Amino acid sequence: MRGSTACHGQSTQRYGGNTSCVSVDIGTDSPIIFDLGTGLRYMSCGEDDSATPKPFVGACLLTHLHWDHLQGLPFFKSLLHPDTVIDIYGPRQPDGESIRDVFTTKICPPTFPICISEFAATINFHEIGDDDFAIGETKVMSRFVPHTGVTLGFRVTANNTTVTYLSDHQQPDGDFALTTGARQLCQNTDLLIHDSQFTPAEFALKSNWGHSTLEFAMWVAETTSAKRLALFHHDPSRSDDALDVIAGRLAGIAQNRGFQVFAAADEMSVKVSALVS
Ligand SMILES: [Zn+2]
Ligand SMILES: [Zn+2]
């Protein structure tokens, strides 16, 4: 699960090269998707490459409008089915431009063969900020978090189980600290999916690029009493072998601090339970 840009090749094959897209399946409702990166194309909805498109009804919680979080949408085959309905909840833009207008002016000729409005599916856009709302049975908390450009993090709760998603999160350039909103999202969560793009040496050169170090992600998990931490938004230059070493080293540290950590990978499925301790 890579940040910034999709990548391929043997060195990134095991953890995968797709950009951010996570599906949360609570069993009873339509799935909730975090972000619309290139992984969306592979999201299971009962189809294969040779089959006709199947309808999809669900919601997307969109953190922000950077390319790596949008690019999967026009390649999501279910957009070709007229019964598909996707509700996209994304951050209200400071300049007043609607999210619909952003998509309409980015997914269109000459940068894409057709306009997004020409897909058969219904796509509804919802502008949100620091909000608390429900999607079906799922409680959703959205909070603005530091990044480059207006960006949200999300906390979803269903069946007394909570998942938090901060894919792109600017670490402070100095002492570790959390905004009130970010802390609200993370506190006591069962699974924290968190930006882990940089090593400290990389962060020293890119401290204003909007991302976190692995160490900051570990600190966020510990300081908010998260039960599990999924390292996410891996730097595209990070090899799988390097990730293995990092994840192995951090697993021991996390165990001593009372939580679990692992490196997220394409097509990884994680069962989340409030009973995990
Ligand atoms: Zn990103
Ligand atoms: Zn970003």
Side-chain angles (χ1 to χ4, degrees):
M1 191 55 71
R2 307 285 163 175
S4 304
T5 186
C7 50
H8 83 292
Q10 284 192 333
S11 68
T12 57
Q13 216 167 44
R14 285 186 292 110
Y15 286 95
N18 281 298
T19 62
S20 303
C21 184
V22 176
S23 174
V24 180
D25 183 358
I26 67 165
T28 54
D29 264 348
S30 304
I32 290 176
I33 302 168
F34 293 131
D35 282 330
L36 301 166
T38 62
L40 179 66
R41 180 168 170 266
Y42 302 94
M43 209 189 84
S44 168
C45 52
E47 60 181 314
D48 59 49
D49 278 349
S50 62
T52 54
K54 297 285 195 306
F56 172 89
V57 177
C60 169
L61 298 174
L62 183 67
T63 56
H64 63 310
L65 301 173
H66 286 165
W67 281 344
D68 54 319
H69 297 255
L70 307 182
Q71 281 179 318
L73 183 61
F75 300 98
F76 186 36
K77 195 187 289 185
S78 293
L79 288 193
L80 300 171
H81 198 290
D83 292 338
T84 288
V85 181
I86 304 180
D87 285 275
I88 297 176
Y89 297 79
R92 192 174 296 112
Q93 298 300 292
D95 62 1
E97 185 177 18
S98 71
I99 297 173
R100 177 183 294 280
D101 282 349
V102 174
F103 275 82
T104 302
T105 56
K106 299 297 179 292
I107 301 175
C108 63
T111 52
F112 194 74
I114 62 171
C115 291
I116 193 166
S117 58
E118 294 179 70
F119 285 102
T122 298
I123 306 175
N124 300 314
F125 293 92
H126 308 267
E127 319 260 333
I128 57 172
D130 288 335
D131 287 314
D132 296 272
F133 56 101
I135 298 174
E137 301 293 312
T138 305
K139 286 194 280 187
V140 179
M141 175 190 290
S142 59
R143 295 290 184 270
F144 288 114
V145 296
H147 183 47
T148 49
V150 62
T151 299
L152 291 169
F154 296 105
R155 175 185 177 102
V156 298
T157 303
N159 304 324
N160 295 316
T161 303
T162 297
V163 176
T164 298
Y165 181 75
L166 279 84
S167 64
D168 295 54
H169 189 198
Q170 172 71 64
Q171 169 182 330
D173 191 8
D175 292 342
F176 288 173
L178 275 177
T179 61
T180 300
R183 187 174 289 276
Q184 288 174 329
L185 295 173
C186 298
Q187 195 68 45
N188 296 317
T189 191
D190 296 299
L191 175 64
L192 171 60
I193 303 168
H194 196 282
D195 185 342
S196 310
Q197 183 137 349
F198 294 139
T199 64
E202 291 163 349
F203 184 78
L205 299 173
K206 302 173 180 176
S207 64
N208 62 350
W209 285 29
H211 294 291
S212 296
T213 59
L214 296 139
E215 284 70 14
F216 181 66
M218 291 283 285
W219 177 83
V220 173
E222 182 181 13
T223 199
T224 61
S225 302
K227 295 186 180 67
R228 280 197 282 180
L229 168 64
L231 305 171
F232 192 77
H233 210 276
H234 311 308
D235 193 272
S237 67
R238 185 95 51 241
S239 71
D240 289 340
D241 291 347
L243 265 177
D244 284 342
V245 172
I246 288 167
R249 177 175 63 82
L250 296 183
I253 296 171
Q255 193 170 24
N256 290 334
R257 297 181 186 178
F259 63 95
Q260 299 171 359
V261 64
F262 60 92
D266 281 14
E267 299 185 9
M268 176 181 273
S269 181
V270 178
K271 186 172 173 56
V272 185
S273 165
L275 298 178
V276 173
S277 60

